[in-house]
């Protein structure tokens, strides 16, 4: 044993955000210049985002969910109060981060030559945790 | 030689912990940095083996330099 670290995940890489959301079952739109979010009346909202889950995939009274890139390079989720109240809340955003981090870790490891040895999903009272193991070539 | 393994645990909020096994000396710092990526470090620490193997290595260097 030689080192240990704990890290707070920052969503910065769009392709891994898309991969994670896709694995969660969403069809995701990418808009390099940003596109308007649509509200539950079909109205165009003032918020714009680079990554969008359209409301048709959510609830009949949902608004679009967007992920907008901030000036520091991080993505911030735009979720309406209504959608937060029906389950697209912090717990859901935690799952988004979890899927993102898994994809980002696997992508980085492959690019840098680490050898992937396996994935295990560990059930805990707070929800599933993902364990990934690698070895050094 | 002990295999160098990296275990990443991603919790339900998406935050991660990274545990390195079998590394000696400063090689583990680059590996830890790779797995941290752009994430914010909340906790980072060396384990006892890091120090013991580093000081052993330094001792050998001193002896061979005489």
């Amino acid at each position: 044993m030689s080192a240990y670290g704990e890290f707070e995940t920052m969503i910065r890489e769009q392709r891994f955000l898309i991969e994670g959301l896709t694995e969660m079952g969403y069809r995701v739109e990418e808009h390099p210049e940003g596109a308007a979010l649509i509200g539950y009346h079909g109205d165009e909202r003032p918020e714009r985002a680079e990554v969008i889950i359209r409301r048709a995939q959510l609830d009949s009274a949902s608004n679009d969910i967007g992920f907008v890139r901030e000036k520091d390079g991080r993505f911030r989720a735009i979720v309406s109060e209504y959608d937060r109240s029906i389950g697209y809340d912090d717990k859901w955003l935690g799952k988004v981060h979890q899927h993102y981090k898994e994809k980002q870790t696997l992508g980085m490891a492959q690019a840098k030559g680490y050898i992937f040895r396996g994935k295990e999903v560990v059930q805990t009272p707070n929800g599933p945790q993902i364990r990934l193991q690698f070895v050094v070539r | 030689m002990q295999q160098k393994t990296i275990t990443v645990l991603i919790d339900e909020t998406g935050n991660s912990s990274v545990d390195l096994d079998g590394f000696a000396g400063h090689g583990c710092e680059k590996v830890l940095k790779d797995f941290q990526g752009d994430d914010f470090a909340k906790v980072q620490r060396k384990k006892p083996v890091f120090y013991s193997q580093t000081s052993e290595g330094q001792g050998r260097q001193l002896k061979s330099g005489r």
Side-chain angles (χ1 to χ4, degrees):
Chain A
M1 294 186 181
S2 38
Y4 175 82
E6 293 179 9
F7 306 107
E8 181 180 339
T9 296
M10 309 283 174
I11 297 181
R12 293 179 187 273
E13 295 182 73
Q14 183 165 321
R15 70 183 177 113
F16 297 124
L17 172 61
I18 305 261
E19 285 182 19
L21 291 170
T22 301
E23 189 173 80
M24 291 173 73
Y26 300 106
R27 295 183 310 281
V28 182
E29 292 183 10
E30 292 180 77
H31 297 277
E33 305 302 321
L37 300 182
I38 306 296
Y40 75 101
H41 283 307
D43 51 311
E44 199 169 279
R45 298 172 65 191
E47 298 98 338
R48 300 175 68 83
E50 285 87 350
V51 176
I52 299 174
I53 302 171
R54 293 299 182 189
R55 62 197 178 93
Q57 301 171 60
L58 307 174
D59 178 82
S60 59
S62 284
N63 304 274
D64 290 349
I65 290 177
F67 293 85
V68 60
R69 190 185 283 281
E70 301 282 21
K71 285 181 181 168
D72 65 1
R74 293 163 58 177
F75 279 93
R76 175 176 61 85
I78 302 172
V79 185
S80 70
E81 284 297 319
Y82 171 77
D83 289 306
R84 283 185 175 275
S85 74
I86 62 166
Y88 298 96
D89 52 9
D90 286 346
K91 190 172 180 181
W92 181 80
L93 285 172
K95 286 182 189 167
V96 173
H97 279 74
Q98 191 182 43
H99 281 80
Y100 167 85
K101 185 61 185 175
E102 179 185 348
K103 298 297 180 189
Q104 187 271 332
T105 300
L106 290 170
M108 178 284 299
Q110 185 178 34
K112 296 201 172 185
Y114 294 100
I115 301 166
F116 178 54
R117 276 292 159 86
K119 169 185 171 179
E120 182 185 358
V121 178
V122 183
Q123 297 298 336
T124 76
N126 294 327
Q129 299 188 345
I130 297 168
R131 189 194 305 270
L132 304 173
Q133 194 157 55
F134 303 88
V135 295
V136 174
R137 197 181 297 274
Chain B
M1 187 175 172
Q2 189 180 357
Q3 191 171 47
K4 296 173 181 177
T5 65
I6 303 126
T7 304
V8 180
L9 187 66
I10 308 169
D11 71 18
E12 67 284 352
T13 69
N15 294 329
S16 67
S17 62
V18 179
D19 204 350
L20 305 186
D21 269 316
F23 289 80
H26 297 284
C28 66
E29 291 175 353
K30 180 191 175 299
V31 175
L32 198 61
K33 186 67 191 164
D34 281 346
F35 281 85
Q36 174 184 355
D38 292 324
D39 293 345
F40 173 73
K42 296 191 292 184
V43 174
Q44 262 180 299
R45 64 172 180 264
K46 307 288 191 308
K47 296 180 187 176
V49 170
F50 173 88
Y51 295 108
S52 65
Q53 295 194 5
T54 300
S55 57
E56 278 176 20
Q58 287 169 343
R60 276 198 296 275
Q61 277 187 330
L62 286 172
K63 283 176 190 170
S64 62
R66 283 180 186 168

